[in-house]
Amino acid sequence: MKFQRKKRENVDITLISMIDVLFVLLLFFMVSTSFNQHTEVNIKLPEAEGSAAEEHPKTVSLMIDADGIYSLVGEDGLSHQLIDQSRAGLKQELSKLAENSKDVPFIINADDKTPNKAVMTALDIAGQVGFSHITFATLHPTE
């Protein structure tokens, strides 16, 4: 007995539908991904003569830009702008930090064009919440 084989049809893989699926997946991942935006405060420190500060393993830093906007430098080393820029908001944030680190040096990094009121407000509130080692960051003058 002679059996006949069926002729095989050529199987084609349509690439267009695969490309569409990959494009939709790519679009989904691009939209659903959250990008970390690290903010950086641009300040120009004032110059002053004096001795270099002691190095401490842990410090609390408050940055004040030229417009008087407050930013705290977190443990990750990045500055995070305060959501509430009022006196009460600054006091609330510094109170949280002071609970665990009152003996840690508190450094105020103020731009040389920062309004005096913003610096004095930060200095006053830092003292009120219990920081005892308050210093200002400056640069050595270049001649």
Side-chain angles (χ1 to χ4, degrees), residues 62-64 67-70 82 84-92 94-95 106 108 110 114-131 134 136:
L62 177 70
M63 302 183 84
I64 311 171
D67 298 324
I69 303 296
Y70 300 109
L82 296 182
D84 185 5
Q85 290 288 322
S86 68
R87 183 178 177 92
L90 179 63
K91 188 170 187 175
Q92 180 182 6
L94 292 182
S95 295
F106 182 80
I108 298 176
T114 301
N116 190 35
K117 180 181 179 183
V119 176
M120 294 310 292
T121 300
L123 182 63
D124 181 39
I125 291 175
Q128 286 178 13
V129 297
F131 286 106
I134 303 172
F136 292 94

Side-chain angles (χ1 to χ4, degrees), residues 20-94:
D20 287 345
V21 170
L22 288 176
F23 180 70
V24 169
L25 284 173
L26 178 68
L27 191 65
F28 172 75
F29 286 123
M30 285 175 55
V31 170
S32 65
T33 303
S34 64
F35 297 100
N36 292 333
Q37 293 181 350
H38 299 292
T39 57
E40 186 172 304
V41 179
N42 294 323
I43 61 171
K44 181 182 175 197
L45 292 174
E47 296 180 351
E49 292 185 22
S51 61
E54 297 176 22
E55 291 293 324
H56 291 278
K58 186 176 178 185
T59 60
V60 175
S61 295
L62 177 70
M63 302 183 84
I64 311 171
D65 69 2
D67 298 324
I69 303 296
Y70 300 109
S71 300
L72 282 170
V73 177
E75 293 179 2
D76 55 1
L78 300 173
S79 61
H80 305 283
Q81 185 173 335
L82 296 182
I83 296 170
D84 185 5
Q85 290 288 322
S86 68
R87 183 178 177 92
L90 179 63
K91 188 170 187 175
Q92 180 182 6
E93 291 295 322
L94 292 182

